[in-house]
Amino acid sequence: MIQYESLFAHAIDKLTAEGCYRVFTDLERLSRRFPYACWRGPRGSVEVIVWCSNDYLGMGQHPQVLTAMTHAIAKYGAGAGGTRNIAGTNHLHVELERELASLHRKPAALALSSGYSANEAALGTLGRLLPECVIFSDALNHASMIAGIRTSGAEKHIFRHNDVADLERLLRAVDPKRPKIIAFESVYSMDGDFAPIAAICDLATRYDAFTYLDEVHAVGLYGPRGAGLAEREGVADRVDVIQGTLAKGFGVVGGYIAGAESVVDAVRSYAPGFIFSTSLPPAIVAGALASVRHLRSNNAVREHHQERAAHLKRLLAKAQLPVLESPSHIVPLMVGDARTCKRVSDELLTSHGIYVQPINFPTVPRGTERLRITPTPFHDDAMMNALVAALKRVWSLFGLWPDRPRAFAPSVQRPRTAAGAR
């Protein structure tokens, strides 16, 4: 007989032996006390400071968001009641999609259950509907984009990360009459680097390609209205589809695409991941709508967020801790070994009340394991000083810097991860 359970157990044992087994930290986020949380650990409930949340601006705790969600659940109840096509389109869904379309200055938008499902549904559908389509994908694109490209069944070519010359080489080799999609991200979540959006759009114009830009780590955070890096760079009008999330800068949950009416309607009408999924609950939609509206007119919080990230990078560099240089709000601190990365994270949590999740393979390539720190406007100077002091003690405890290495510079090209990163 086949020992099914033992085969699965063996797969888990393999992860554990490699130091890549994922341990979920049991946390209770404290309403209106972000970035504090209660950690349910072996000593019971302990208050900690969270340094790795994707709620980059703390909007998941914003009074306007909480009020909107409270009112919505009182008025509409808990669930949406069905798929968007069958009883599940609340008027709030319509309002949110209008708001997102307006935010990105696109004719239409479509809200989905997550950023992952938005990428998988949109790329899978667009690539499938375009006859003889060829998709060009950045080597470090997220797992959801990779899944969508695979689902499409389209021919695909992977260009070296942020390498415009390599992308052009691949574009040049394809029949100019074939439909082409260039899929890439604006802010890459593990290294925190930016895509050359304008240069990629130039190539798209030259080779008659369709552009698909994942802005999940940029919406709410960049641009004068929070529409993302493409808005900040003044090239959003040159991008055909912008995909975003409601779960990071906007602090709630959900994903979306924005683009031409025909493009959005094609995804709405053909994507199984959208058609057969129960729609987002009205309270979630209300919170996301309040967050988007608030951030559109509050650029000061974005400026403060950038200042906090820059300040922490300076402190880490001054302490000679191996911070990866990046232009974004993401602060990677390199460790380079999976087991050590987990030990560092555990020590920070248990001895210093600091929670930073270790990032190991397959999220990043082996040998580039790290702590991914995400400072927010709510992490003050005292918190940052305490973090750096704790890191210095932990680095000494595990003998990680006998030669006091200088700050890391990002490599031009890293091997593509097995599953992408978020």
Side-chain angles (χ1 to χ4, degrees):
M1 293 180 62
I2 299 173
Q3 301 298 313
Y4 291 99
E5 290 188 18
S6 65
L7 292 173
F8 291 125
H10 176 71
I12 296 301
D13 289 343
K14 183 174 181 290
L15 281 179
T16 304
E18 295 171 348
C20 297
Y21 181 74
R22 297 170 188 256
V23 177
F24 295 169
T25 304
D26 187 349
L27 296 172
E28 295 177 357
R29 276 163 57 98
L30 301 175
S31 181
R32 307 196 188 210
R33 292 199 59 213
F34 184 79
Y36 289 99
C38 283
W39 169 46
R40 295 281 184 166
R43 293 177 293 174
S45 181
V46 178
E47 188 169 275
V48 298
I49 296 177
V50 178
W51 280 96
C52 56
S53 174
N54 281 341
D55 187 0
Y56 294 131
L57 301 177
M59 289 302 296
Q61 308 286 323
H62 195 281
Q64 290 182 22
V65 173
L66 301 185
T67 298
M69 294 181 74
T70 301
H71 288 172
I73 204 165
K75 183 175 182 179
Y76 302 114
T83 64
R84 288 291 299 274
N85 184 54
I86 304 175
T89 296
N90 187 285
H91 183 63
L92 287 171
H93 292 95
V94 178
E95 284 193 63
L96 176 62
E97 288 168 347
R98 287 173 180 165
E99 189 73 25
L100 292 168
S102 174
L103 174 68
H104 293 289
R105 294 192 169 100
K106 300 294 184 187
L110 185 70
L112 296 96
S113 58
S114 70
Y116 191 106
S117 61
N119 270 334
E120 187 173 37
L123 282 169
T125 299
L126 299 176
R128 187 172 69 254
L129 291 181
L130 292 172
E132 297 187 71
C133 180
V134 183
I135 300 180
F136 300 84
S137 175
D138 187 284
L140 296 188
N141 274 346
H142 184 252
S144 57
M145 301 177 78
I146 296 168
I149 292 167
R150 286 174 178 163
T151 298
S152 75
E155 180 183 328
K156 68 176 182 296
H157 297 280
I158 299 167
F159 61 93
R160 290 192 294 269
H161 177 52
N162 280 348
D163 191 330
V164 178
D166 191 47
L167 173 58
E168 182 167 22
R169 176 184 65 83
L170 294 170
L171 285 164
R172 193 185 300 121
V174 172
D175 183 343
K177 295 180 181 179
R178 295 181 66 179
K180 295 168 284 292
I181 298 174
I182 303 174
F184 62 110
E185 300 181 39
S186 61
V187 180
Y188 288 85
S189 63
M190 289 298 115
D191 284 0
D193 54 337
F194 293 159
I197 303 175
I200 290 175
C201 288
D202 288 343
L203 286 183
T205 300
R206 191 177 309 156
Y207 291 92
D208 192 22
F210 184 94
T211 48
Y212 183 100
L213 178 61
D214 177 315
E215 288 255 44
V216 298
H217 291 277
V219 290
L221 307 171
Y222 294 90
R225 301 176 309 123
L229 193 64
E231 180 191 47
R232 195 194 77 166
E233 301 298 311
V235 294
D237 61 315
R238 303 181 63 193
V239 176
D240 293 300
V241 170
I242 290 176
Q243 181 266 344
T245 183
L246 304 168
K248 294 179 172 64
F250 295 126
V252 192
V253 70
Y256 65 90
I257 59 168
E261 287 186 9
S262 60
V263 174
V264 172
D265 201 15
V267 175
R268 186 188 73 88
S269 301
Y270 281 92
F274 172 76
I275 294 169
F276 298 107
S277 291
T278 297
S279 58
L280 289 167
I284 295 295
V285 179
L289 182 59
S291 184
V292 173
R293 286 174 172 167
H294 174 77
L295 288 176
R296 283 187 69 164
S297 58
N298 284 271
N299 194 48
V301 68
R302 281 182 283 277
E303 293 176 348
H304 186 39
H305 182 223
Q306 291 296 318
E307 182 277 327
R308 292 285 79 196
H311 182 66
L312 179 59
K313 289 175 186 177
R314 287 192 297 269
L315 290 178
L316 293 169
K318 184 178 179 180
Q320 296 185 296
L321 287 157
V323 59
L324 186 72
E325 295 176 1
S326 76
S328 74
H329 59 283
I330 294 166
V331 184
L333 194 63
M334 306 305 289
V335 177
D337 175 78
R339 292 183 183 84
T340 303
C341 197
K342 180 65 167 65
R343 291 173 67 202
V344 167
S345 174
D346 289 347
E347 179 65 19
L348 288 169
L349 183 61
T350 58
S351 299
H352 301 280
I354 290 169
Y355 172 52
V356 189
Q357 184 72 11
I359 305 296
N360 294 334
F361 180 84
T363 305
V364 294
R366 300 181 197 278
T368 69
E369 292 84 359
R370 68 198 64 187
L371 302 178
R372 178 181 175 273
I373 305 171
T374 53
T376 74
F378 297 91
H379 288 94
D380 59 26
D381 286 354
M383 292 178 184
M384 291 190 176
N385 291 335
L387 171 65
V388 173
L391 286 166
K392 290 168 67 176
R393 287 194 289 273
V394 173
W395 246 245
S396 296
L397 177 66
F398 294 120
L400 296 179
W401 60 358
D403 299 320
R404 296 271 172 170
R406 64 179 177 83
F408 278 58
S411 59
V412 174
Q413 177 64 26
R414 296 193 285 108
R416 197 176 94 191
T417 68
R422 270 288 186 269

